[in-house]
Amino acid sequence: MKKEKKTIFQTGLLMEALKEAFKKLNPLTLKRNPVMLIVEIGSILTTVIVFCNIFSGEKFSFNLQVSIWLWFTIIFANFAESIAEIQSKARAETLRKARSELFAKKLLSGNTIEKVSALSLRKDDLILIEEGEIIPGDGEIIEGTALVDESAITGESAPVIRESGGDRSSVTGGTKLLSGNIKVKITSNPGETFMDNLIKMVESSKRQKTPNEIALELLLIIMTLLFIVVVFTIPAIAGYMGVKIAVPVLVALLVCLMPTTIGGLLPAIGIAGMDRLLQYNVIAVSGRAVEAAGDVNIVLLDKTGTITLGNRMASEFIPSDGIEQSRVLEAALFSSLSDETPEGRSIITLCKKETGTKGSDIRVPEGAVFVPFTPQSRMSGVDIKDRKIRKGSIDAIEEFVKSGGGNISEEVKNRVDDVAKNGDTPLVISENNMVLGIIRLKDIVKMGIRERLAQLRKMGIKSVMITGDNPLTAASIAAEAGLDDFLAGAKPETKLSMIRKYQTDGNLVAMIGDGTNDAPALAQADVAVAMNAGTQAAREAANMVDLDSNPTKLLDIVEIGKQILITRGALTTFSVANDVSKYFAIIPAMFAVQYPELNILNVMHLGTPSSAILSAVIFNAVIIPCLIPLSLRGVKYEAKSVTSLLRMNLLVYGLGGLILPFICIKIIDLLVILLKLA
């Protein structure tokens, strides 16, 4: 799915966000943001003083204006967070609509069917789903092949194929079965389905603060406490100098010097980052994973289904010298009869095409015992009396043949190499201790992945392909896809140990996978992205799920992760730089009447002490909503060195944050004087 183009300037959205902003004025809610809580305490204090002024007959105009703008500061900060939350909640509501009340055909003992509510389905229940029905729950297809419309969760209208066996057997509740009849084993209990978790992830109220966000928040609290101490000491110093400073002025000084800008925008930055991921149809289980994505320097990609389309198709049977073609076809057919993978089905299809046999004419040999494929053995086959037929990788078959006293000839090895050099997958087939021939499987590299991997390289991220295929096949695919490195003949434990090694060397590792054999590695990786089309085990092990099952999406994930970090850093720099201008506005105004010499600090030549203080307070409040679009959209990320990014950050947001307030405060001061507000 393409990134959605949307705007925050929608009347309904803005009004809802404004309502939520007022609701967040509750101190119990605001305590999650200590900086803004202190601003609220200051606002309450100035409001009380205003009422006291009114009842005592004192002038209250200045104090009233300060109080109003302090309240605006809090409301604008709450508004920034609310508008980000509402965008996410709107998405969650859309997802809820897809969870309409459904019924399921539950299979009981004796193949009887009971119609039950979809909400009552539990893990390991067996259900029957027929053509045209909505899939009632998450599960794995154990029988049959289906054409599924997943637009309810992915937004993509193109249907996808799901079938039993292999890594494309999972189905998701809320999607629609367009054709075929399937039996499904439920994999989630009520409240734990993919759609349930999706909604929880989308709901901003469920968002956990990331480690960097917590660290920055702690820094802001320390800075705030420091300024509180400073402001509390000023009355004593001022009293010694014979200057009396009003409480509203002290509150205004405190609020202006505190990091209110970043304090108000910080929650919105995190929420908006998660929402941007969702716009790309990527669901993040935690904010920690999103931030880690911004710092990864190693990316491990599974080949089949990730770099390639995954559905390798049998295209040719190559017999060994002295072996008849018919014998190879028979062995390939028998060994694939129980193979429900796309590769196994394609072998049967090619056998039928080569022999002109109809499916109805194929019979399972009497006494046949099928041997399933395992990641450890890397081969499958069938035992028919004294015939042991196997098909698998050359290493696995060589081991099997040698165990029976046979050997693989150099002629077979050369042909395997020739197939692999062409980027195809050689599947060796044997009977007992004799190699009968080779099955050529074609795999296709996904479009656009070479260009996206090149962009990752520009970011300083190394891409590594890990596959169970032989080295020559892996090398060919790696070259075609533009990968930096590859690991061939990888077993699940190999992938796991490789990730641990990279992490031990101080790297942050991202892993993309879709199969059950990828689950251990996904669980170990710092950033683990599972393809939605993959197995349930892979999705549960990962901390991100790509609904489109597009591995090139990793670039978007990395960019968004970096964007969140850069945005947070840029706005923090801007906020701190702002304090300098406010210092030059308020401090001279506080003491200039008693000590005219301090007017030298009034570099902006502000009209009066009251207008100076009021202008600084107004700017402090107004700058927050002005920065809301930037905090939601994020600072644009470009693939540059850290030094270049830091230099750009200091130039634009450091120097800009220093100069802009001087200009704006001067303009506001002129307006305040013109309107006779102070």
Side-chain angles (χ1 to χ4, degrees):
M1 176 184 281
K2 300 289 184 183
K3 183 182 178 182
E4 297 174 15
K5 292 183 179 179
K6 62 178 186 178
T7 176
I8 64 170
F9 300 105
Q10 303 171 13
T11 304
L13 183 68
L14 293 175
M15 292 305 297
E16 186 65 26
L18 192 58
K19 290 179 185 176
E20 289 296 319
F22 278 97
K23 290 180 181 178
K24 291 180 182 293
L25 290 175
N26 184 345
L28 295 176
T29 303
L30 209 58
K31 70 179 182 180
R32 295 184 292 111
N33 192 337
V35 175
M36 301 317 298
L37 178 61
I38 291 175
V39 177
E40 184 173 52
I41 293 171
S43 303
I44 294 171
L45 180 60
T46 55
T47 303
V48 171
I49 291 173
V50 168
F51 278 106
C52 291
N53 293 152
I54 294 172
F55 289 124
S56 63
E58 299 177 33
K59 292 182 179 179
F60 62 87
S61 175
F62 174 78
N63 292 345
L64 177 62
Q65 291 181 76
V66 170
S67 181
I68 290 172
W69 284 107
L70 290 179
W71 281 113
F72 273 141
T73 303
I74 307 169
I75 291 169
F76 288 152
N78 290 346
F79 181 77
E81 181 178 7
S82 296
I83 202 165
E85 287 179 347
I86 286 171
Q87 287 182 340
S88 294
K89 287 177 179 178
R91 296 179 182 278
E93 190 58 35
T94 302
L95 292 169
R96 282 196 184 92
K97 291 178 181 178
R99 300 176 64 228
S100 55
E101 181 66 32
L102 298 173
F103 289 92
K105 298 173 182 175
K106 186 177 178 180
L107 292 171
L108 307 176
S109 57
N111 285 328
T112 58
I113 295 176
E114 179 186 5
K115 194 173 183 180
V116 300
S117 169
L119 298 177
S120 68
L121 293 175
R122 304 196 66 81
K123 191 174 181 180
D124 295 331
D125 283 347
L126 297 179
I127 60 172
L128 174 67
I129 307 170
E130 297 179 321
E131 187 173 309
E133 294 180 348
I134 302 296
I135 297 171
D138 297 352
E140 299 278 348
I141 299 176
I142 59 173
E143 186 180 313
T145 302
L147 190 65
V148 182
D149 176 5
E150 295 185 340
S151 59
I153 59 170
T154 67
E156 295 289 343
S157 57
V160 294
I161 296 175
R162 297 285 179 261
E163 53 192 347
S164 59
D167 293 337
R168 294 180 178 270
S169 61
S170 67
V171 291
T172 305
T175 58
K176 186 176 183 180
L177 181 62
L178 298 179
S179 67
N181 296 330
I182 54 175
K183 288 183 182 179
V184 173
K185 183 179 182 180
I186 297 296
T187 55
S188 303
N189 289 318
E192 301 173 357
T193 67
F194 181 75
M195 194 68 76
D196 289 321
N197 291 331
L198 185 58
I199 292 170
K200 290 176 185 176
M201 295 171 200
V202 174
E203 292 278 14
S204 56
S205 61
K206 303 294 183 182
R207 188 186 71 90
Q208 293 184 340
K209 293 180 180 180
T210 64
N212 283 345
E213 191 174 348
I214 293 171
L216 179 56
E217 192 175 83
L218 183 61
L219 176 63
L220 298 183
I221 292 171
I222 292 172
M223 291 176 65
T224 300
L225 292 173
L226 178 63
F227 284 123
I228 289 174
V229 173
V230 171
V231 170
F232 265 92
T233 60
I234 287 178
I237 298 172
Y240 179 78
M241 298 168 64
V243 179
K244 186 178 180 181
I245 300 175
V247 173
V249 174
L250 290 173
V251 174
L253 175 64
L254 174 62
V255 172
C256 287
L257 294 185
M258 284 165 48
T260 49
T261 304
I262 185 61
L265 295 173
L266 188 59
I269 295 169
I271 296 169
M274 300 288 281
D275 189 61
R276 280 198 297 277
L277 264 185
L278 190 61
Q279 291 177 42
Y280 284 96
N281 262 5
V282 177
I283 305 301
V285 178
S286 69
R288 185 186 295 269
V290 181
E291 282 194 352
D295 290 327
V296 296
N297 45 22
I298 302 282
V299 175
L300 303 183
L301 303 101
D302 179 49
K303 179 180 79 71
T304 306
T306 305
I307 295 172
T308 65
L309 292 176
N311 290 340
R312 298 176 295 180
M313 307 297 289
S315 61
E316 184 185 5
F317 296 106
I318 307 172
S320 302
D321 288 345
I323 304 296
E324 294 181 359
Q325 182 86 354
S326 59
R327 187 176 177 185
V328 178
L329 290 172
E330 182 193 50
L333 176 64
F334 288 165
S335 64
S336 303
L337 287 176
S338 70
D339 190 346
E340 296 293 333
T341 64
E343 293 87 349
R345 292 177 181 273
S346 73
I347 292 172
I348 295 175
T349 301
L350 187 60
C351 285
K352 290 192 292 184
K353 182 180 177 182
E354 294 277 342
T355 59
T357 307
K358 295 181 180 179
S360 57
D361 297 330
I362 297 175
R363 296 286 185 269
V364 177
E366 188 177 345
V369 179
F370 293 102
V371 180
F373 174 88
T374 66
Q376 287 73 31
S377 68
R378 289 181 293 142
M379 63 180 181
S380 61
V382 61
D383 293 341
I384 308 172
K385 298 180 180 178
D386 59 345
R387 299 173 65 189
K388 296 182 183 296
I389 301 172
R390 297 290 185 274
K391 68 176 192 298
S393 68
I394 185 170
D395 295 337
I397 295 299
E398 184 174 24
E399 214 175 289
F400 176 76
V401 168
K402 283 183 177 179
S403 68
N407 214 337
I408 294 183
S409 66
E410 287 300 318
E411 166 259 331
V412 170
K413 290 181 180 179
N414 290 334
R415 289 183 181 177
V416 166
D417 291 347
D418 290 340
V419 171
K421 285 176 182 176
N422 289 328
D424 301 328
T425 301
L427 205 60
V428 181
I429 187 161
S430 68
E431 182 176 331
N432 296 332
N433 62 354
M434 182 184 296
V435 176
L436 302 180
I438 302 165
I439 305 171
R440 183 191 296 270
L441 299 177
K442 282 190 171 293
D443 205 352
I444 302 170
V445 174
K446 290 184 176 180
M447 289 185 63
I449 196 165
R450 185 179 183 88
E451 292 74 16
R452 304 307 294 273
L453 291 176
Q455 288 178 277
L456 284 177
R457 196 174 297 110
K458 287 182 181 178
M459 296 179 186
I461 300 172
K462 180 181 179 181
S463 57
V464 182
M465 179 181 72
I466 44 180
T467 176
D469 283 339
N470 65 75
L472 288 172
T473 301
S476 177
I477 296 292
E480 187 178 349
L483 288 142
D484 296 314
D485 201 359
F486 66 89
L487 175 67
K491 296 181 179 180
E493 56 268 26
T494 313
K495 300 177 184 179
L496 186 60
S497 62
M498 189 179 191
I499 290 176
R500 286 173 175 169
K501 182 180 182 302
Y502 279 129
Q503 289 172 332
T504 302
D505 294 339
N507 297 296
L508 278 179
V509 181
M511 165 83 181
I512 300 179
D514 63 347
T516 301
N517 62 333
D518 296 323
L522 287 169
Q524 180 66 33
D526 300 289
V527 180
V529 184
M531 303 292 102
N532 187 50
T535 61
Q536 186 73 15
R539 294 196 299 188
E540 289 177 353
N543 47 34
M544 291 189 192
V545 177
D546 176 19
L547 300 179
D548 298 331
S549 301
N550 179 7
T552 64
K553 200 72 68 65
L554 181 66
L555 179 62
D556 300 321
I557 295 171
V558 171
E559 284 185 346
I560 290 170
K562 290 183 178 296
Q563 197 178 34
I564 291 174
L565 297 175
I566 291 172
T567 302
R568 194 179 291 145
L571 292 181
T572 301
T573 303
F574 184 86
S575 179
V576 173
N578 276 192
D579 288 346
V580 177
S581 61
K582 299 168 194 172
Y583 171 86
F584 279 99
I586 296 180
I587 296 298
M590 291 171 63
F591 297 97
V593 174
Q594 188 75 17
Y595 295 93
E597 296 84 358
L598 290 177
N599 269 319
I600 196 172
L601 297 176
N602 186 13
V603 295
M604 289 176 276
H605 301 289
L606 302 178
T608 67
S610 296
S611 72
I613 295 169
L614 191 58
S615 298
V617 173
I618 292 173
F619 172 80
N620 192 68
V622 171
I623 194 64
I624 294 176
C626 291
L627 292 174
I628 288 176
L630 181 61
S631 66
L632 297 183
R633 187 180 64 252
V635 176
K636 185 179 179 182
Y637 172 74
E638 295 179 2
K640 295 180 179 178
S641 67
V642 175
T643 305
S644 298
L645 290 172
L646 180 60
R647 189 185 301 115
M648 183 62 67
N649 178 63
L650 292 175
L651 182 63
V652 176
Y653 296 97
L655 186 60
L658 189 64
I659 296 173
L660 182 66
F662 279 92
I663 299 170
C664 292
I665 289 175
K666 178 61 180 179
I667 293 172
I668 295 171
D669 180 73
L670 292 173
L671 291 172
V672 168
I673 297 295
L674 182 65
L675 298 173
K676 298 180 179 180
L677 297 176

